[in-house]
Amino acid sequence: MTIFVLGELNVDMIVTGTDIIPEWNREKLVDSFDLVLGSSSAITACALAGLGVDVRFVSLVGADDFGDFCIEQLNSRGVNTEYVKRHPFLKTGVTLSFSTPSDRGLVTFMGSIPALTPADLPEALYQEAKHIHFGSYYLQDGMRAYWQEVFREARQIGISTSFDTGWDVRNNWHRDEIHSLISETDLFIPSEEELLHIYGVRTLEEVSGLLPNKRQWVAVKRGSNGAAMLAPNKAIQSINAYNIVPIDTTGAGDSFNAGFIYGFLSGKRDYELLHFANACGGLSTLALGGVGGLASLQDVEAFQSTHKLRQ
């Protein structure tokens, strides 16, 4: 299967430790610092490639060392970068990730992250794709007004679609636009906190009644609380997280995305699909960085057979 991922590209600078929150006029020591490939879309693309998928990445980076690094990292993980362009005037985006064993906080310099536009989408998109995915809805300013058109055209010719929102740094949440886009989406994959903010409610049960009537599959990432799924015409299905001690949670949600997409396209449904995606997300936390713990299909299946869910 061929999947096109349309998205942002940036590097992640990861600071890891237990006490990593900066304080004015104070200096702290941390456990580690690493430069790795970042961005929700790119990590999802790499995780899909690890599962054996033919992945084509469509994006923009700056004509700089960080742009070189992003392209090299994608290529080294089996992602096709034929459609990654160099922007002559923008710097490649950078995210500082402050990561603890339980969670992370992000600070981002946008650079080329929001620069992708419909003019950058290749003709091959509608000719070769079996599935189209994008991440970071709120960061991709140049595409935000066009996603529904792209997804509608794709689905009319039998291409399935998925997206992940990410956090809205501007706190606008674009409920009406997201609501409409869900109707053209096969797999909507937000985090629980993002989904509750979009719909302005406090529980998943409340969200369930507000989603579009035409919605398909909605997978909800809940971090240390596991995951939930709202399948078409079914009650909420949920599972706990795996009983593991994470090393770094960076990119766990993006690996979950990849697992959910791959599992769905491979015919998995309901709890089998949710368990597979949950395993992809959990396994990714046992290595540093969003692409540090990329897994093959055999790795994920072995993880599922040797690890249990929390009670």
Side-chain angles (χ1 to χ4, degrees):
M1 65 181 79
T2 298
I3 296 178
F4 275 71
V5 178
L6 319 179
E8 76 294 359
L9 257 181
N10 60 269
V11 297
D12 275 358
M13 296 182 175
I14 302 176
V15 178
T16 305
T18 56
D19 182 17
I20 58 175
I21 304 302
E23 298 179 31
W24 294 119
N25 299 314
R26 298 287 187 274
E27 183 174 4
K28 292 183 176 180
L29 300 180
V30 298
D31 295 340
S32 67
F33 172 82
D34 293 271
L35 177 67
V36 298
L37 179 67
S39 95
S40 171
S41 300
I43 296 171
T44 297
C46 290
L48 283 165
L51 292 170
V53 176
D54 175 16
V55 184
R56 316 290 174 86
F57 201 80
V58 181
S59 187
L60 293 174
V61 291
D64 51 31
D65 290 342
F66 283 162
D68 292 341
F69 178 84
C70 289
I71 292 173
E72 290 167 1
Q73 289 293 304
L74 287 169
N75 286 333
S76 70
R77 288 164 173 81
V79 177
N80 183 308
T81 58
E82 176 183 357
Y83 305 116
V84 178
K85 298 180 179 179
R86 304 276 192 165
H87 197 291
F89 309 118
L90 294 175
K91 295 180 180 179
T92 302
V94 177
T95 290
L96 296 175
S97 176
F98 300 92
S99 182
T100 71
S102 60
D103 214 335
R104 61 178 180 144
L106 306 177
V107 178
T108 294
F109 162 70
M110 290 283 271
S112 59
I113 288 173
L116 188 72
T117 69
D120 300 307
L121 305 186
E123 293 183 7
L125 177 66
Y126 299 111
Q127 300 168 358
E128 300 175 7
K130 177 181 177 63
H131 184 89
I132 296 173
H133 173 79
F134 76 87
S136 298
Y137 174 90
Y138 298 113
L139 297 183
Q140 293 206 58
D141 297 343
M143 285 298 302
R144 191 175 304 115
Y146 304 99
W147 288 125
Q148 190 160 351
E149 178 183 342
V150 170
F151 275 20
R152 182 184 298 116
E153 184 172 349
R155 296 178 86 213
Q156 284 175 348
I157 56 177
I159 302 170
S160 56
T161 59
S162 63
F163 78 102
D164 181 6
T165 61
W167 185 258
D168 187 358
V169 296
R170 304 177 183 99
N171 203 35
N172 293 321
W173 294 105
H174 296 272
R175 173 178 173 175
D176 291 342
E177 294 88 344
I178 293 284
H179 188 81
S180 295
L181 182 56
I182 293 171
S183 297
E184 299 292 346
T185 302
D186 293 284
L187 310 175
F188 177 40
I189 324 174
S191 75
E192 182 175 29
E193 191 172 8
E194 291 157 2
L195 185 58
L196 297 183
H197 273 81
I198 291 167
Y199 280 96
V201 296
R202 300 180 63 181
T203 68
L204 286 183
E205 288 73 18
E206 293 174 273
V207 170
S208 180
L210 297 173
L211 289 167
N213 292 330
K214 290 176 59 179
R215 73 165 175 86
Q216 295 300 307
W217 298 72
V218 179
V220 184
K221 296 166 287 191
R222 308 180 76 183
S224 60
N225 292 319
M229 183 168 61
L230 292 79
N233 304 314
K234 293 186 179 182
I236 297 174
Q237 302 170 65
S238 62
I239 58 174
N240 290 331
Y242 276 91
N243 188 22
I244 55 177
V245 179
I247 294 173
D248 179 18
T249 58
T250 302
D254 306 317
S255 292
F256 179 100
N257 294 349
F260 198 74
I261 295 165
Y262 178 88
F264 181 83
L265 295 177
S266 299
K268 300 180 188 297
R269 295 294 183 270
D270 297 321
Y271 277 107
E272 182 187 16
L273 173 58
L274 191 58
H275 272 279
F276 184 80
N278 199 36
C280 289
L283 181 54
S284 76
T285 70
L286 299 182
L288 186 66
V291 295
L294 293 180
S296 67
L297 177 60
Q298 293 74 24
D299 293 333
V300 177
E301 291 173 343
F303 178 83
Q304 287 183 286
S305 67
T306 55
H307 292 76
K308 298 183 180 298
L309 299 177
R310 292 175 181 169
Q311 299 300 313

